[in-house]
């Protein structure tokens, strides 16, 4: 069902009614109903289980053993379906013990008064997650290169993984290097690197500068992945993400030629279509560059933000600021736009036969309105008196404190890597 095209067709039908009239009236009625209730119809469909079951790991299609796997998940257990439980033994590391957390994510150091957000553990309904074993992970990465590629949320997951691993490596045997769009953590004795690469759209875009990238007028170049992709070659394990940067409206600018062209050939396409184009391009790159017998590729689904308290029945003007409790409604989802994108990914991954493991972190993270950095982050631009008077106005409800929720994403990654 495509409401936009049906709306143009329905208006022409109404303008030129020709016999048999009742048929056109009927069709027009259907179109109007579609337009009026399109949102609700997609809602209803969203409730049904349209997502193919195998999207969390389409590789199950082939019965072959996946690289790095050492066991199997408990039969039929969906590790992404579960609940958060209080755990005194958390966090898995202390903020002070991990020197790699950037000042945007060190919430305690930046004055966050509460610590409860560090104590929740994800408990799948059908099984338990294997406990994270840093030694096993490092042994597995011996002589290998692991890469996180995407936006700042993926950078958070990268930092979290480094924090989970670094404690078992002595100081002289590890290093972190920042090089333009990359961050590279090296475990010297393991000859292993874990890297982060900034590519908020995965494809070539006008936001590719790792420092100066706050572009409001975002443009992505159609199909162009090799500019970045050539620097990912040789990776053994890749974790991709891309979502937030696409969310700048219903339509998105796609460049056909090159960014160097004098007259740029730019097309506006619906955001979902642009996103699908990116997913197709990414899958094509994986097919050409990653050997399914030796490598693993993961894709993290979108990271939810908590910008509007009214979405969870809170203050009409509030956001995640001062939230210290979880959302308890297991059906909570937040705003509707994300569902289409999520569905687009689900469909594309299940239609392709490229082995990519879907890290379905969206639903479980959407309960965590308590876990964002809010105002407890380093501010690059000094706050104005108006902002200081109204903390809600500058609270960050997108990024997550470390240690915290994103450590769970890595426990899920660990689980899918070793027990797919
Ligand atoms: C992601 O996980 C949630 C919670 O289990 C589930 O409702 C949803 O269908 C999953 N989405 C996809 C695309 O697999
Ligand atoms: C962690 O993994 C290492 C290497 O495989 C193993 O020797 C060790 O027993 C594991 N630790 C735990 C607590 O399972
Ligand atoms: C270290 O790992 C790289 C791959 O990341 C490999 O090419 C190289 O041969 C390894 N060096 C040693 C000494 O094992
Ligand atoms: C992007 O490229 C694909 C494949 O070359 C093409 O089918 C599509 O029409 C292009 N999109 C735009 C907006 O130019």
């Amino acid at each position: 069902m495509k409401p936009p095209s049906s709306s143009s067709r329905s208006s022409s039908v109404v303008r030129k009614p020709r016999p048999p009239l009742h048929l056109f009236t009927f069709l027009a009625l259907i179109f109007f109903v579609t337009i009026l209730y399109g949102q609700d119809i997609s809602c209803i469909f969203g409730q049904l289980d349209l997502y193919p079951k195998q999207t969390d790991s389409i590789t199950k299609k082939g019965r072959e053993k996946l690289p790095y796997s050492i066991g199997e998940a408990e039969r039929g257990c969906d590790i992404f379906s579960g609940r958060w439980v209080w755990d005194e033994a958390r966090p898995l590391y202390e903020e002070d013990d991990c020197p790699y957390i950037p000042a945007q994510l060190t919430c305690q150091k930046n004055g966050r008064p509460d610590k409860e957000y560090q104590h929740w553990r994800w408990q799948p309904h059908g099984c338990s997650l294997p406990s994270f074993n840093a030694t096993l992970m490092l042994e597995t990465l011996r002589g290998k290169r692991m890469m996180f590629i995407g936006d700042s949320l993926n950078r958070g997951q990268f930092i979290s993984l480094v924090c989970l691993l670094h404690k078992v490596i002595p100081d002289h045997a590890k290093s972190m290097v920042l090089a333009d769009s990359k961050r590279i953590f090296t475990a010297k004795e393991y000859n292993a690197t874990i890297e982060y690469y900034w590519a908020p759209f995965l494809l070539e875009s006008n936001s590719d500068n790792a420092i100066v990238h706050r572009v409001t007028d975002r443009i992505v170049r159609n199909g162009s992945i090799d500019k970045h992709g050539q620097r990912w070659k040789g990776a053994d394990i890749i974790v991709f993400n891309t979502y937030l940067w696409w969310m700048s409206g219903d339509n998105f600018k796609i460049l056909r030629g090159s960014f160097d062209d004098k007259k740029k050939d730019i097309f506006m396409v619906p955001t979902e279509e642009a996103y699908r184009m990116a997913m197709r391009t990414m899958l094509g790159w994986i097919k050409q560059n990653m050997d399914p017998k030796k490598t693993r590729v993961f894709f993290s689904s979108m990271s939810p933000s908590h910008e509007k308290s009214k979405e969870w029945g809170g203050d009409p003007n509030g956001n995640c600021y001062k939230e210290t409790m979880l959302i308890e409604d297991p059906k909570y989802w937040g705003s509707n736009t994300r569902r289409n994108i999520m569905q687009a990914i689900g469909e594309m991954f299940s239609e392709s036969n490229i082995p990519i493991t879907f890290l379905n972190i969206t639903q479980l993270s959407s309960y965590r309105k308590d876990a964002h950095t809010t105002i407890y982050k380093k501010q690059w631009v000094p706050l104005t008196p108006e902002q200081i008077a109204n903390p809600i106005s500058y609270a960050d409800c997108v990024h997550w404190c470390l240690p915290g929720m994103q450590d769970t994403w890595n426990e899920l990654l660990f689980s899918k890597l070793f027990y797919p």
Side-chain angles (χ1 to χ4, degrees):
M1 224 177 296
K2 285 184 185 143
S5 60
S6 60
S7 80
S8 54
R9 271 163 68 198
S10 70
S11 56
S12 68
V13 165
V14 173
R15 251 183 269 124
K16 291 185 258 170
R18 258 181 242 147
L21 193 60
H22 60 277
L23 177 63
F24 285 108
T25 315
F26 177 67
L27 284 176
L29 185 67
I30 289 189
F31 290 134
F32 282 126
V33 167
T34 311
I35 297 155
L36 282 174
Y37 298 105
Q39 194 68 5
D40 298 60
I41 288 170
S42 67
C43 261
I44 293 161
F45 285 153
Q47 299 296 327
L48 302 175
D49 203 356
L50 282 189
Y51 305 125
K53 277 278 182 281
Q54 67 272 40
T55 45
D56 66 318
S57 177
I58 63 146
T59 42
K60 276 180 199 147
K61 273 181 193 163
R63 288 269 157 217
E64 280 169 54
K65 186 172 170 286
L66 285 170
Y68 310 111
S69 89
I70 56 173
E72 271 183 30
E74 276 175 57
R75 243 186 124 69
C77 177
D78 175 5
I79 58 171
F80 304 108
S81 166
R83 66 203 164 93
W84 291 98
V85 296
W86 180 259
D87 187 345
E88 272 307 326
R90 304 269 154 153
L92 294 171
Y93 56 91
E94 293 297 330
E95 188 184 283
D96 284 345
D97 293 339
C98 185
Y100 309 107
I101 311 175
Q104 297 100 296
L105 305 179
T106 49
C107 297
Q108 293 297 315
K109 204 168 155 205
N110 295 319
R112 182 159 176 168
D114 58 308
K115 263 191 162 177
E116 282 82 359
Y117 68 91
Q118 298 184 347
H119 284 280
W120 297 97
R121 175 171 59 78
W122 182 248
Q123 178 62 58
H125 289 311
C127 54
S128 281
L129 291 178
S131 40
F132 189 91
N133 182 335
T135 313
L136 171 60
M137 187 80 196
L138 283 166
E139 285 297 345
T140 305
L141 291 176
R142 192 177 282 283
K144 297 209 155 52
R145 182 176 177 214
M146 177 172 185
M147 289 190 89
F148 286 82
I149 298 160
D151 61 27
S152 56
L153 290 151
N154 216 18
R155 183 169 60 214
Q157 191 179 352
F158 157 76
I159 303 276
S160 156
L161 182 63
V162 172
C163 290
L164 288 164
L165 293 176
H166 89 101
K167 257 192 141 165
V168 301
I169 310 167
D171 281 344
H172 68 268
K174 59 192 171 196
S175 67
M176 176 77 95
V177 174
L178 274 64
D180 55 278
S181 53
K182 291 217 282 187
R183 283 167 191 239
I184 304 170
F185 176 79
T186 306
K188 291 177 191 133
E189 284 164 6
Y190 292 91
N191 184 30
T193 61
I194 304 172
E195 305 177 20
Y196 166 73
Y197 184 101
W198 170 261
F201 297 101
L202 304 183
L203 272 51
E204 181 181 358
S205 78
N206 65 347
S207 309
D208 288 343
N209 187 305
I211 321 272
V212 192
H213 55 234
R214 284 164 202 266
V215 185
T216 44
D217 186 29
R218 297 168 191 175
I219 307 169
V220 168
R221 185 174 172 193
N222 193 16
S224 172
I225 199 165
D226 281 335
K227 181 183 166 232
H228 296 310
Q230 57 175 326
R231 299 171 71 185
W232 312 334
K233 283 184 185 171
D236 299 281
I237 299 173
I238 291 184
V239 183
F240 285 115
N241 93 326
T242 184
Y243 163 65
L244 193 67
W245 282 69
W246 297 94
M247 296 298 114
S248 58
D250 292 339
N251 293 302
F252 202 91
K253 285 184 175 165
I254 296 294
L255 175 73
R256 276 199 182 155
S258 138
F259 276 106
D260 300 329
D261 292 347
K262 276 215 188 74
K263 195 175 170 296
K264 289 191 182 56
D265 195 5
I266 291 171
F267 280 74
M268 285 295 263
V269 303
T271 299
E272 194 188 314
E273 193 182 316
Y275 193 84
R276 278 178 188 271
M277 179 276 288
M279 291 296 102
R280 263 196 305 277
T281 310
M282 175 191 76
L283 290 170
W285 185 89
I286 295 169
K287 189 173 181 180
Q288 273 190 356
N289 295 283
M290 299 298 282
D291 177 353
K293 292 199 175 64
K294 293 192 193 127
T295 66
R296 290 286 298 274
V297 180
F298 296 85
F299 186 92
S300 294
S301 60
M302 64 236 193
S303 173
S305 42
H306 293 88
E307 320 257 19
K308 291 180 192 140
S309 312
K310 59 173 190 278
E311 288 182 358
W312 57 85
D315 185 332
N317 301 314
N319 59 19
C320 71
Y321 175 60
K322 281 209 164 152
E323 290 290 352
T324 55
M325 298 297 286
L326 280 63
I327 292 171
E328 286 181 17
D329 175 8
K331 293 211 176 68
Y332 177 78
W333 175 264
S335 69
N336 245 320
T337 41
R338 305 181 200 136
R339 203 183 283 277
N340 312 343
I341 294 277
M342 190 88 166
Q343 200 164 348
I345 309 172
E347 283 167 14
M348 299 210 64
F349 286 10
S350 62
E351 282 161 15
S352 89
N353 54 5
I354 291 157
I356 179 163
T357 304
F358 190 56
L359 295 178
N360 180 1
I361 48 96
T362 308
Q363 183 73 47
L364 62 99
S365 308
S366 72
Y367 305 130
R368 297 303 307 274
K369 64 178 163 62
D370 61 316
H372 292 286
T373 52
T374 70
I375 63 168
Y376 306 108
K377 60 185 284 187
K378 183 178 164 136
Q379 304 295 336
W380 298 106
V381 182
L383 297 168
T384 63
E386 292 77 30
Q387 283 177 312
I388 293 167
N390 179 20
I392 290 172
S393 67
Y394 70 97
D396 180 339
C397 298
V398 171
H399 298 96
W400 312 92
C401 301
L402 283 183
M405 216 268 304
Q406 287 193 296
D407 300 321
T408 295
W409 295 4
N410 281 315
E411 293 181 272
L412 295 162
L413 171 68
F414 180 90
S415 178
K416 282 286 174 196
L417 181 63
F418 294 113
Y419 307 93

